[in-house]
Amino acid sequence: MVRLLLTVVATLLLLVLVRWSQPDALRIDGFWSLATVALVTAAGAALTLRLSRVLFTRLAPWVRGVLSTAVAFVLLASFTGDFGPVVIVGAVLLALSLLFSLLRGGTLRAEPFPPDVLAVGRLAGRFAVPALWYLAAVAVVPGVQSAQRWPGALLGGVVAGGTLVTGAVLAFTRPWHAAVTPVTADGAVRAAYGGLGHLVGIGDPHTGADLRVMGSSGVLLDLAGFLPDPTPDAVRRQAGRLTPGLVRALCAVETPQRTLLASAGYGEAVHLWDPATGKAVRALSGHQAPVNALCAVPVDGTVLLASGGGERGVRIWDPEAGRQVRTIGHGVRAGVQALCTVARDDGGRTLLAAAYTDGGIRVWDPADGRPILQIAAHSSSVNALCTGTVDGAGWLASAANDGTVRLWDLVTGKALGSFDDNSPRYALCPVELDGEVLVAAAGDGVGISLFDPATKTRRGSLGTEPVLQMLLNPRPTGWIRSMCQVGSGDDAFLMFAGYDRAVGQIRLRPALQALG
């Protein structure tokens, strides 16, 4: 409601500026007629864009891409009154999208279809919808004597331009990789990672080699391959950053039939991959906002997949059937940042813990959606969760924007301990070696902090160096968005991903021995 009110006010101010600078472009009798035009234009455009997003989200990603682009250019043609050139441009873009999809994989794949052309369609829609609603408003609101078409184009241009600027800023401020998780492939535990352009890869931490790469880097990155050879690497890298669709969450799902790898992020769909072959299995559509978290959840003898993000509620999916089972926590007025399964000490079933942007942690029963526990955990957004056991007692760790890492009792929800850092924390994971369990935390700043949940003390830091060495090091360990442990014993690695173009790794045994 607040966002809609701000949109109406901004539209009103822009129309006042038009009326003051060009009186012949918008002749209106009185302020209230002007305010009514602003209200109809802003509210109608916002509701139309929202409704179209809801309708298209329920379709398969590639169908959504085609229809969104086609409808956007039809609206644009209706506004301009000249269907010929607009239809030709739209048809060319759709043909290019098909061509590049076929060139990338030989068949139309389950990832967003294709993200670059879909972005163009959305941009065209954000221009045409406000412009058309402006023309409708000046036609039906009493007291409007005359109006030209260009004020509507100005309104649409501001909306589309704001979207374009915001997207460009996000493209250059997003991390290269924001998700990393262990996955079983080729009979061994590997590291799966996700990055810009909904790129999903599987690597061998022992050799540092990529075993296979899945997903799509989008048309822009494909076009970068046609640049002449003398093109500087910096130009190619920045072209890659403009590709939409950052992977924000990864999760391995061990179903009775096989192992699946789930990925999700800014594309709003949850994608399922076969890590053994690298092929896309299917895409799960339904989210209406970016997906920030994924988690495999055992329920009644089967393994389901939980997903949550910027919209209300956590969605529970049957990954093998490709259908949504239920939505839980829909009444919570906050976005989901992290998901984690927890086992209660009372011998009950596995529960699902969710971290929210309002600073709270809520524990749900994934079988029926019942709320089990609610914790007012932090004063700012909770970005990460992990769980473990010490002396037979389970604990839940949370990390937040306020720089704190806190431990919680899974039965009572009471705080067990707190560790303070100097910068926001975005990544948590349990580190287990030789029977000892530590909590690793990282985020903005340099270094990975280690905490001992048994003694409630700080154990030390990994990846920290003297300030001068960090300034000279082109790839310091810092600004991390995701971490996980891969392997055990002498083959245990701590994998981390963030703003570095490469996924980092630390061999745990020598690193922990160096800490004493």
Side-chain angles (χ1 to χ4, degrees):
M1 188 63 184
V2 175
R3 183 180 300 178
L4 179 60
L5 181 61
L6 292 176
T7 303
V8 173
V9 172
T11 304
L12 178 60
L13 292 177
L14 189 59
L15 291 179
V16 169
L17 179 62
V18 170
R19 178 71 180 87
W20 173 74
S21 60
Q22 298 288 335
D24 292 336
L26 188 61
R27 298 178 182 178
I28 298 181
D29 295 337
F31 171 79
W32 292 112
S33 295
L34 186 66
T36 304
V37 171
L39 176 63
V40 172
T41 302
L47 292 176
T48 301
L49 291 171
R50 175 67 176 174
L51 179 61
S52 64
R53 188 172 188 178
V54 171
L55 293 176
F56 284 143
T57 300
R58 303 188 183 280
L59 302 174
W62 71 271
V63 176
R64 184 175 70 218
V66 172
L67 289 182
S68 298
T69 306
V71 170
F73 278 88
V74 168
L75 292 176
L76 191 60
S78 64
F79 172 75
T80 60
D82 190 354
F83 280 80
V86 177
V87 171
I88 291 174
V89 172
V92 169
L93 286 176
L94 287 175
L96 285 175
S97 71
L98 285 169
L99 174 63
F100 280 106
S101 294
L102 292 171
L103 288 177
R104 280 200 298 268
T107 58
L108 293 180
R109 301 166 71 175
E111 65 244 21
F113 173 85
D116 305 287
V117 175
L118 180 56
V120 172
R122 286 176 172 173
L123 197 65
R126 286 183 175 273
F127 169 82
V129 168
L132 290 172
W133 270 101
Y134 168 78
L135 295 182
V138 297
V140 301
V141 174
V144 181
Q145 281 80 29
S146 66
Q148 298 179 8
R149 196 177 293 268
W150 72 262
L154 178 62
L155 286 171
V158 169
V159 175
T163 303
L164 185 62
V165 170
T166 302
V169 170
L170 287 175
F172 284 98
T173 57
R174 288 171 181 167
W176 286 101
H177 301 94
V180 61
T181 190
V183 63
T184 301
D186 305 326
V189 180
R190 311 293 191 183
Y193 57 89
L196 287 168
H198 212 99
L199 185 70
V200 179
I202 297 178
D204 186 347
H206 296 87
T207 64
D210 289 323
L211 300 178
R212 58 188 58 93
V213 176
M214 302 168 284
S216 168
S217 293
V219 176
L220 287 178
L221 202 58
D222 288 333
L223 287 176
F226 293 99
L227 295 175
D229 289 337
T231 304
D233 290 339
V235 174
R236 294 178 182 271
R237 288 197 299 268
Q238 297 310 324
R241 288 197 71 90
L242 289 173
T243 303
L246 173 68
V247 176
R248 301 200 63 179
L250 284 172
C251 175
V253 185
E254 303 282 350
T255 71
Q257 292 79 15
R258 54 183 166 172
T259 298
L260 296 174
L261 180 63
S263 66
Y266 283 104
E268 300 176 7
V270 178
H271 303 277
L272 297 175
W273 310 89
D274 185 343
T277 63
K279 294 183 178 180
V281 177
R282 64 172 54 91
L284 307 175
S285 301
H287 281 283
Q288 299 169 22
V291 181
N292 302 324
L294 295 171
C295 183
V297 185
V299 177
D300 297 332
T302 186
V303 180
L304 302 180
L305 177 66
S307 61
E311 62 181 342
R312 296 186 190 179
V314 176
R315 297 176 186 264
I316 307 294
W317 309 86
D318 183 337
E320 286 291 352
R323 62 181 181 87
Q324 181 175 311
V325 177
R326 67 183 59 87
T327 300
I328 61 178
H330 189 269
V332 180
R333 301 178 64 86
V336 177
Q337 293 288 85
L339 294 170
C340 171
T341 55
V342 296
R344 293 286 293 267
D345 291 336
D346 55 11
R349 66 182 69 187
T350 300
L351 303 178
L352 180 66
Y356 290 86
T357 55
D358 63 359
I361 299 174
R362 295 166 178 86
V363 180
W364 308 92
D365 187 334
D368 53 23
R370 289 185 299 111
I372 303 298
L373 183 66
Q374 181 172 340
I375 305 172
H378 296 265
S379 59
S380 59
S381 175
V382 184
N383 298 321
L385 295 173
C386 75
T387 185
T389 303
V390 174
D391 298 330
W395 48 262
L396 178 69
S398 60
N401 274 346
D402 57 15
T404 60
V405 177
R406 296 177 179 172
L407 298 179
W408 308 95
D409 186 289
L410 288 174
V411 176
T412 65
K414 293 183 178 179
L416 300 176
S418 178
F419 313 102
D420 293 332
D421 271 349
N422 297 322
S423 56
R425 304 286 90 181
Y426 292 96
L428 278 181
C429 79
V431 173
E432 184 173 358
L433 190 66
D434 300 332
E436 181 182 32
V437 179
L438 301 175
V439 177
D444 289 345
V446 176
I448 299 171
S449 301
L450 294 176
F451 305 104
D452 189 335
T455 61
K456 313 299 187 297
T457 58
R458 181 189 295 269
R459 180 69 177 271
S461 297
L462 302 177
T464 56
E465 304 169 351
V467 176
L468 180 59
Q469 292 185 22
M470 287 191 295
L471 293 176
L472 296 177
N473 186 356
R475 292 172 56 183
T477 303
W479 292 272
I480 295 171
R481 291 298 177 266
S482 179
M483 290 190 301
C484 73
Q485 178 177 335
V486 175
S488 60
D490 292 335
D491 294 328
F493 292 87
L494 180 62
M495 311 297 298
F496 53 92
Y499 281 82
D500 194 344
R501 295 193 71 236
V503 177
Q505 63 184 60
I506 297 175
R507 191 179 286 270
L508 279 175
R509 187 178 295 282
L512 295 180
Q513 288 175 347
L515 292 178

